Amino acid sequence: MNEKQQQYQETVSNFVELTAEEVEGRLANGEETILYIGKPVCPFCQKFVPKLDRVREQNNLTIHYLNSLETETNPAIKSLRNKMEVPLVPQVVSIDGEGNFTNLNIDSGASEELLTELLVK
């Protein structure tokens, strides 16, 4: 693991990691969730998570994290990403109600201001 991947891991340790199955469960039950989807080896994700973490900290948010590293070998992750229309990472999806979600369509260049606007209700 290189230094950027290590910093990424340290930052996402502030988030609540979920499996794809747990995300599906939260979606089915309509549990309000801010879900960050990304992976440690993605340079765009490495650039993005510090901003997301600062927004989390400043606004006292709980961010859930799905590590998408095994998308190709894990059918549950692949299926969830297809359902939520997340072809690329990093991405943030909010679960808003039973079976209801919003793909925020952000990219790694999103500012902290924009993230705050999208995530703080």
Side-chain angles (χ1 to χ4, degrees):
M1 191 183 295
N2 69 30
E3 192 180 329
K4 285 189 184 322
Q5 290 171 357
Q6 211 161 350
Q7 286 170 339
Y8 175 93
Q9 289 296 113
E10 283 171 26
T11 305
V12 297
S13 70
N14 295 321
F15 304 163
V16 179
E17 191 162 354
L18 298 174
T19 64
E21 293 81 2
E22 288 169 326
V23 174
E24 289 283 8
R26 294 181 76 85
L27 182 59
N29 296 328
E31 292 175 63
E32 282 195 11
T33 305
I34 298 170
L35 177 67
Y36 159 66
I37 303 172
K39 56 188 174 187
V41 296
C42 158
F44 298 104
C45 299
Q46 294 164 1
K47 196 168 91 176
F48 178 72
V49 291
K51 292 188 277 189
L52 183 60
D53 192 46
R54 281 192 293 275
V55 171
R56 174 199 63 80
E57 199 169 31
Q58 289 162 0
N59 297 283
N60 199 22
L61 300 171
T62 299
I63 306 284
H64 292 82
Y65 167 53
L66 175 67
N67 183 340
S68 65
L69 188 61
E70 296 175 355
T71 298
E72 292 312 309
T73 56
N74 183 326
I77 296 175
K78 189 176 231 168
S79 163
L80 183 67
R81 283 185 62 179
N82 285 339
K83 180 193 290 185
M84 292 185 158
E85 298 173 356
V86 180
L88 303 169
V89 291
Q91 193 50 266
V92 179
V93 176
S94 67
I95 297 176
D96 315 307
E98 259 177 63
N100 216 355
F101 64 88
T102 306
N103 180 328
L104 300 178
N105 285 312
I106 51 91
D107 63 39
S108 60
S111 67
E112 289 179 38
E113 292 74 24
L114 177 63
L115 290 170
T116 301
E117 203 176 292
L118 291 170
L119 299 175
V120 180
K121 294 180 173 148

